[in-house]
Amino acid sequence: MRLIRYLLVIVSLCFITTTGFCQEKVLFGFEENIPNWEIPDWCFEKPEYVAESIAISKKFAKEGSSSLEIMANFPGVTPDFPKGKWTAAYIEVEQDFTWTPYKTLSADIYLPKDAPFGLQARFTLGVGEDYAWKEMSRAVKLMPGEWTTLSASLIPGSTDWRKTDVTDEFRAYVRKL
């Protein structure tokens, strides 16, 4: 089985809010460290989760001089992973966030030129006391050699989240990204 190793880069994670004009608040710029970002242990126990490591990198940066680098081994089509079986490179940060003043969650993602076509990205959140899993209702295609901005609306009534009623309570108690 030939494993294919690909680098995914997340440069910055920010909120965009509108108060007469567009303002951004960068939560994670990855200039010096990776505050609490990790590949959870349960991902290493499941073959469909293929992230191997994360680190600060100076290879690509849209703003500043560094980014978060995710190394992943996507298996391609094999007997264990037939066409149509998905794999994912999952990373997370567990932190209490209060996002009621914000309207949009965004991340700039760079996919290197040698990466395969067909990779996609989406946000997932752990919300509330029980860390209820909330996933974007759509995935965004990543194009090799290009920057892509992944965005999801946080405004009440947004349809960007699967089977989720976005409310102020939802935005007030996000515990995991």
Side-chain angles (χ1 to χ4, degrees):
M1 170 173 43
R2 181 173 171 255
L3 294 179
I4 306 168
R5 181 175 223 167
Y6 293 102
L7 163 80
L8 301 134
V9 178
I10 298 177
V11 170
S12 64
L13 186 59
C14 63
F15 286 102
I16 301 171
T17 185
T18 304
T19 55
F21 57 94
C22 189
Q23 296 179 352
E24 290 184 0
K25 178 181 179 184
V26 176
L27 294 178
F28 301 101
F30 307 113
E31 287 302 310
E32 297 176 19
N33 59 27
I34 310 171
N36 303 319
W37 282 89
E38 66 177 356
I39 301 167
D41 289 340
W42 59 264
C43 288
F44 295 109
E45 298 168 4
K46 298 182 178 205
E48 62 269 21
Y49 291 96
V50 298
E52 291 185 333
S53 65
I54 58 174
I56 294 295
S57 174
K58 302 271 185 204
K59 294 175 189 169
F60 301 97
K62 191 169 185 183
E63 297 177 352
S65 62
S66 58
S67 58
L68 177 64
E69 174 183 277
I70 305 165
M71 293 304 295
N73 274 325
F74 290 95
V77 177
T78 68
D80 292 334
F81 286 91
K83 187 174 182 174
K85 186 169 182 179
W86 67 272
T87 55
Y90 180 87
I91 62 169
E92 68 182 19
V93 60
E94 187 172 342
Q95 178 177 328
D96 287 345
F97 298 102
T98 302
W99 292 345
T100 49
Y102 304 108
K103 303 212 181 288
T104 307
L105 174 64
S106 298
D108 292 317
I109 302 171
Y110 180 77
L111 192 61
K113 290 178 185 178
D114 62 346
F117 285 94
L119 296 180
Q120 302 175 353
R122 73 175 72 213
F123 289 118
T124 58
L125 305 175
V127 177
E129 192 65 37
D130 61 351
Y131 291 79
W133 181 272
K134 304 296 180 182
E135 182 177 56
M136 283 181 65
S137 57
R138 60 181 166 69
V140 174
K141 292 181 182 180
L142 303 176
M143 296 302 294
E146 294 183 16
W147 287 98
T148 302
T149 300
L150 173 63
S151 292
S153 174
L154 296 170
I155 61 172
S158 169
T159 59
D160 283 352
W161 301 94
R162 182 177 288 155
K163 298 179 183 177
T164 299
D165 185 19
V166 177
T167 63
D168 282 340
E169 292 78 25
F170 168 93
R171 299 182 317 162
Y173 202 25
V174 176
R175 306 191 69 197
K176 191 180 287 190
L177 168 63

